[in-house]
Amino acid sequence: MRRSAWLSLCLLALCTPARAADAALVPALIPQPASMRFDTGAAPFMVDARTILQADGDAATRVAGQLNRLLARAGRTPLPVAARGDGTQHGIRLTLAPGSGIPAEGYALVVAGDGITLRASDEAGLFHGAVTLWQLLTQSDAARVALPAMRIDDAPRFPWRGYMLDSARHFQTPAQVRQVLDTMALHKLNVFHWHLTDDQGWRIEIKRHPRLAQVGGCRVPAGDAGVDPASGTPVPYCGWYTQDEIRDIVAHAAALHITVVPEIDMPGHATAAIAAYPALGTEGRQIPVSAHRGIHANLFNVDDATFDFLDGVFAEVAQLFPGPYIHIGGDEAIKAQWQASPRVQARMRELGLADEDALQSWFIHRLETQVHGHGKRLIGWDEILDGGLAPDATVMSWRGIDGGLAAARQGHDVVMSPNADLYLDYLQTDSPDEPGGRPRPKLIPMERFYRFEPVPEALDADRRHHILGLQANMWTTDDVRFSAVEHNTFPRLLAVAETGWTPKAGKDYASFLQRLPAWTRRYQALGVGYARTPFGVLLDDAPAAAGKATLQLSNPLGYPVRYTLDGSEPTARSPLYAGPIEAGLPLQLRTAAFAGDNALQPAQRFEVTAASLRSRGNAQLQPCIAQGPVLRMQDDTVQADGRRALFNVAFMQPCWRWEHAPMAGAESIEVRAGRLPYIIDQSEEENARRRFLPARSAHGELDIRAGSCDGERIATAPLPARPDADGFITLHAPLLRRSDKTEAMCIRFSGDFRPDMWVLDRVTLR
């Protein structure tokens, strides 16, 4: 249904006969149902704490219990439940109707003046319908809700609506994993891809190979985080899931109609496994579990004993996860160790293989045979296409959509998961309040998530059924906190949910934004740590001139922004931001984004003074290079308040740019800098592209240039051998020349100090 038609029907629903206090709500559902029709001539149905919830049969009773638990979690009173045939008047009736013609996972929800009927042909559909009903009942804070007379006929567009959580880089507790599953279910997602092994950790207990978890599940973090400051001894970071914990999580997911797909990554991303059992590696030597990010060179060898070992792993994995798939990774396998190994080269000649790429294809085929032997289907990242696959292998396309397009044309099932559109560790706004992640080469805001289309136009119609759906991936490399997982995931996962569920013709981004604010209230009630930054206000302030500042405000999602300059809280009657604001200094700016008359979150407070305009924190600066990756990295030192500082770092060319530095009247520059371990493993080709300013003295210098990094040097100061006890230093450098204008400024540190590097925390003109 087009947005204009949907809105008109909703407005008609508001005009149904009812008391003014019981006006029917305008349904704001995400994902948007496939079909929603309103009976504008009928009265709404009232739901309150006395409404009977009637369950027909065991499956309906289970779903009724889930609905009541959801209501209780959202702070609502659970509804009284009655079994069929006990003589009670039916208020809300849940019925499982096999053979009704309702599609799998679909449901029919009818609201009439005398009650509500929810029907489905399977329990998953009944549950999804109950989630829709829960959304309707939690759309407002009213204890008595008027639902308009309507009929919803709904079913998902795709059978794979997925979310991947990386527990290998950073470990989440079983309770946190269950919390993720609970919130996924409310988004009508049905596949949980669990990334359990990588270079940085092996997180699944394997009974016949206990060192995989006991050794592979622990690493010593790089830098100060890995050392006890009192004793100087290593402090390992450990975590893995016992088989009992995994069974509990899988059962929890199954009750929510979510299939868990485990990933055991190979032949690359194998460092943690090789650290536990060195004989698995190509080099056969003892190595540590990695504390670094990036692509590692360690690969499994290709001996028969290694495949026997891996078959034992698959045997236990298959028993723990009843779903149809085992994910074997298959990505980012650097072949240098295979190329250098006489044993591997001899095996290649024995097999008659032309090169190492052919050897990886042979490796994947052998894994596929093992996976089949345990009754499972193989799925892997799009690199597994190289060399050909068995017909029932499924491809997860992450390097864009081209791999998925090629796989579908070859007759393989495909899950679209391109990193440029669906990676949740790419940050979503330019706010300084974003957690660790990847702000560059580009942000992935809500709209980009929403507009991604899983079925390429270039794919022939008779191959489009191979596109099973889409999946968003939450990699956890750059932030240890579970709060960062939730922040990066929600609410962007709602956009993925709507694409996975709603028919393509029924999607409308403007309508989505109208429906989104109701979810912020639900997240708050459920205790889900969603991102506030998309609902906040960004301030871009130009330098002061003649005691005045020019302020530019924006909301990342495009919601209207209101503000005050007198210190009062903004309301729906406050000035609406329409363009740059010029105001005298000092000023107290209070601002918030609004949906209708309601602020989307508490007002933000900015104290703008001449002094504040002469100082910039790390997140307010830009990388000097136009292209290239930027990481938002956590400090390796925990601060006194328990937090870790965050630094944006263009690690291929560390440099920070202050675009409009107000130089007038400044005599010196103060720079606060921290030191981080350089934890990025890179190939020789990538290392060759790194750029560092040569040091002119033993420990290097602070180097500040005007205009660009090739411009005139305007300040410099020597660097110490090491930071202070808190991990930071403060440098003071006199300006080598004065200026009365605004200039761009390039700030960097000379020298290549690997395995450590200096990072800018704050720069201030004095």
Side-chain angles (χ1 to χ4, degrees):
M1 186 179 294
R2 301 302 301 165
R3 182 171 68 94
S4 57
W6 178 80
L7 287 175
S8 65
L9 286 173
C10 290
L11 292 172
L12 286 172
L14 289 175
C15 301
T16 56
R19 300 198 311 266
D22 293 333
L25 59 78
V26 178
L29 302 172
I30 299 176
Q32 181 78 296
S35 172
M36 183 163 55
R37 302 185 300 277
F38 295 87
D39 184 352
T40 57
F45 179 72
M46 312 307 302
V47 179
D48 58 25
R50 298 169 298 173
T51 302
I52 299 296
L53 187 57
Q54 181 175 308
D56 296 347
D58 293 342
T61 299
R62 286 192 294 270
V63 173
Q66 290 173 310
L67 174 58
N68 268 337
R69 286 191 290 275
L70 288 175
L71 289 171
R73 284 185 60 204
R76 305 305 173 88
T77 302
L79 303 176
V81 178
R84 181 177 181 180
D86 67 355
T88 58
Q89 179 182 2
H90 112 249
I92 302 174
R93 181 176 176 180
L94 278 59
T95 301
L96 193 63
S100 61
I102 298 173
E105 294 193 89
Y107 63 92
L109 177 67
V110 178
V111 180
D114 60 351
I116 299 172
T117 300
L118 174 61
R119 298 170 69 244
S121 60
D122 57 22
E123 190 171 339
L126 203 62
F127 175 78
H128 294 318
V131 168
T132 295
L133 184 57
W134 173 80
Q135 285 196 47
L136 292 169
L137 297 178
T138 57
Q139 192 170 312
S140 74
D141 295 328
R144 178 180 169 90
V145 179
L147 299 184
M150 61 180 174
R151 179 184 178 98
I152 295 176
D153 291 289
D154 202 10
R157 179 186 177 194
F158 293 110
W160 189 299
R161 307 178 304 282
Y163 172 78
M164 188 220 74
L165 178 62
D166 172 13
S167 295
R169 272 53 176 262
H170 284 113
F171 178 78
Q172 300 85 37
T173 67
Q176 290 168 339
V177 175
R178 288 192 295 271
Q179 185 173 331
V180 167
L181 291 166
D182 289 340
T183 314
M184 281 179 62
L186 299 180
H187 295 60
K188 298 180 181 170
L189 301 179
N190 66 343
V191 178
F192 177 58
H193 172 178
W194 203 1
H195 188 78
L196 288 166
T197 74
D198 215 296
D199 296 299
Q200 296 80 13
W202 183 285
R203 306 298 182 195
I204 175 173
E205 179 189 24
I206 301 297
K207 297 284 190 181
R208 68 191 74 186
H209 303 304
R211 288 173 59 84
L212 284 172
Q214 295 167 0
V215 176
C218 291
R219 68 174 183 259
V220 176
D224 292 341
V227 180
D228 182 343
S231 65
T233 57
V235 179
Y237 170 81
C238 299
W240 64 87
Y241 304 97
T242 68
Q243 292 198 357
D244 285 342
E245 288 171 334
I246 288 172
R247 290 187 188 95
D248 178 70
I249 288 169
V250 169
H252 190 86
L256 299 169
H257 308 283
I258 295 171
T259 298
V260 183
V261 176
E263 181 179 354
I264 311 297
D265 213 341
M266 54 191 72
H269 293 282
T271 301
I274 297 170
Y277 293 96
L280 298 173
T282 302
E283 298 179 334
R285 62 184 178 87
Q286 184 68 58
I287 60 174
V289 179
S290 178
H292 286 201
R293 62 170 298 142
I295 303 175
H296 293 54
N298 300 308
L299 300 185
F300 286 110
N301 65 46
V302 294
D303 297 344
D304 288 340
T306 294
F307 286 102
D308 291 342
F309 183 101
L310 296 176
D311 190 57
V313 172
F314 288 139
E316 295 191 30
V317 170
Q319 289 297 314
L320 290 169
F321 297 92
Y325 292 97
I326 292 177
H327 200 300
I328 55 84
D331 62 312
E332 297 181 328
I334 298 175
K335 308 301 192 301
Q337 288 187 358
W338 282 356
Q339 291 167 346
S341 169
R343 187 173 56 174
V344 171
Q345 292 299 309
R347 189 65 187 274
M348 282 175 52
R349 290 191 295 272
E350 175 189 331
L351 296 169
L353 300 175
D355 55 27
E356 289 75 24
D357 289 337
L359 180 62
Q360 178 168 341
S361 177
W362 172 85
F363 191 105
I364 297 298
H365 275 285
R366 189 153 178 181
L367 295 182
E368 187 173 42
T369 299
Q370 292 181 334
V371 167
H372 285 176
H374 297 291
K376 304 295 183 181
R377 292 181 61 182
L378 180 144
I379 183 171
W381 303 109
D382 54 61
E383 287 96 329
I384 69 172
L385 269 175
D386 300 338
L389 283 175
D392 71 342
T394 300
V395 172
M396 189 168 281
S397 188
W398 75 277
R399 298 176 300 176
I401 65 170
D402 290 345
L405 183 60
R409 284 172 172 165
Q410 294 175 26
H412 297 291
D413 287 344
V414 172
V415 177
M416 288 295 191
S417 190
N419 60 342
D421 300 278
L422 295 177
Y423 270 31
L424 291 156
D425 58 320
Y426 283 84
L427 301 186
Q428 54 198 306
T429 77
D430 282 318
S431 170
D433 297 324
E434 293 292 340
R438 293 191 268 186
R440 295 288 185 273
K442 59 184 163 188
L443 303 170
I444 307 185
M446 179 75 79
E447 185 170 4
R448 188 173 182 93
F449 268 82
Y450 190 86
R451 296 197 185 282
F452 173 70
E453 169 51 42
V455 182
E457 288 292 333
L459 185 61
D460 292 340
D462 64 347
R463 295 290 181 176
R464 293 185 176 184
H465 67 280
H466 285 297
I467 306 298
L468 300 182
L470 74 166
Q471 179 175 288
N473 296 332
M474 181 62 242
W475 302 103
T476 63
T477 307
D478 298 306
D479 205 317
V480 68
R481 301 168 299 166
F482 180 66
S483 61
V485 169
E486 291 192 299
H487 177 107
N488 285 336
T489 299
F490 308 112
R492 283 187 293 183
L493 203 59
L494 286 167
V496 178
E498 185 141 305
T499 298
W501 186 279
T502 303
K504 182 180 179 181
K507 288 184 60 184
D508 184 305
Y509 185 60
S511 166
F512 177 83
L513 291 180
Q514 290 178 338
R515 292 174 275 130
L516 184 58
W519 266 98
T520 65
R521 297 189 292 272
R522 294 189 189 104
Y523 285 143
Q524 291 171 26
L526 296 170
V528 175
Y530 72 99
R532 268 66 170 179
T533 50
F535 304 101
V537 177
L538 299 177
L539 169 63
D540 182 10
D541 45 7
K548 293 184 178 180
T550 302
L551 310 177
Q552 299 183 62
L553 309 179
S554 62
N555 168 259
L557 295 178
Y559 288 107
V561 172
R562 296 185 180 275
Y563 67 95
T564 66
L565 297 175
D566 59 5
S568 63
E569 294 298 297
T571 69
R573 293 176 295 279
S574 298
L576 180 67
Y577 178 78
I581 304 165
E582 188 175 277
L585 298 176
L587 62 89
Q588 294 184 349
L589 173 67
R590 304 290 182 266
T591 182
F594 279 75
D597 291 340
N598 300 312
L600 292 172
Q601 63 180 27
Q604 293 168 257
R605 302 184 176 195
F606 299 97
E607 306 294 328
V608 185
T609 66
S612 72
L613 294 174
R614 294 165 72 91
S615 184
R616 285 291 180 275
N618 176 285
Q620 296 172 291
L621 303 171
Q622 299 297 319
C624 294
I625 54 175
Q627 302 295 326
V630 177
L631 300 178
R632 187 157 170 78
M633 301 173 66
Q634 277 192 325
D635 192 359
D636 61 326
T637 302
V638 179
Q639 300 176 53
D641 60 3
R643 294 183 300 113
R644 289 188 181 188
L646 289 163
F647 304 96
N648 290 351
V649 183
F651 60 89
M652 297 293 284
Q653 185 176 335
C655 178
W656 294 264
R657 183 177 177 85
W658 186 350
E659 194 63 45
H660 301 289
M663 303 294 292
E667 298 180 354
S668 65
I669 295 179
E670 177 183 289
V671 171
R672 186 174 191 260
R675 199 166 187 179
L676 294 182
Y678 195 97
I679 59 169
I680 299 101
D681 276 16
Q682 294 173 294
S683 67
E684 293 183 6
E685 179 184 353
E686 290 171 318
N687 283 332
R689 295 201 302 269
R690 286 195 280 205
R691 296 290 180 266
F692 294 92
L693 178 68
R696 294 179 285 113
S697 58
H699 305 303
E701 303 82 29
L702 167 70
D703 184 85
I704 302 179
R705 309 283 180 123
S708 72
C709 291
D710 297 321
E712 172 192 8
R713 181 182 289 117
I714 59 173
T716 185
L719 291 167
R722 61 186 59 85
D724 297 334
D726 64 353
F728 291 86
I729 56 169
T730 300
L731 302 172
H732 299 273
L735 286 170
L736 301 178
R737 59 124 168 108
R738 305 296 171 82
S739 174
D740 60 358
K741 60 183 180 180
T742 295
E743 295 186 70
M745 183 188 297
C746 165
I747 307 155
R748 57 185 170 172
F749 306 97
S750 67
D752 181 352
F753 292 100
R754 289 173 293 176
D756 300 301
M757 61 178 170
W758 291 104
V759 290
L760 179 65
D761 180 53
R762 177 166 288 277
V763 56
T764 303
L765 289 166
R766 298 294 187 186

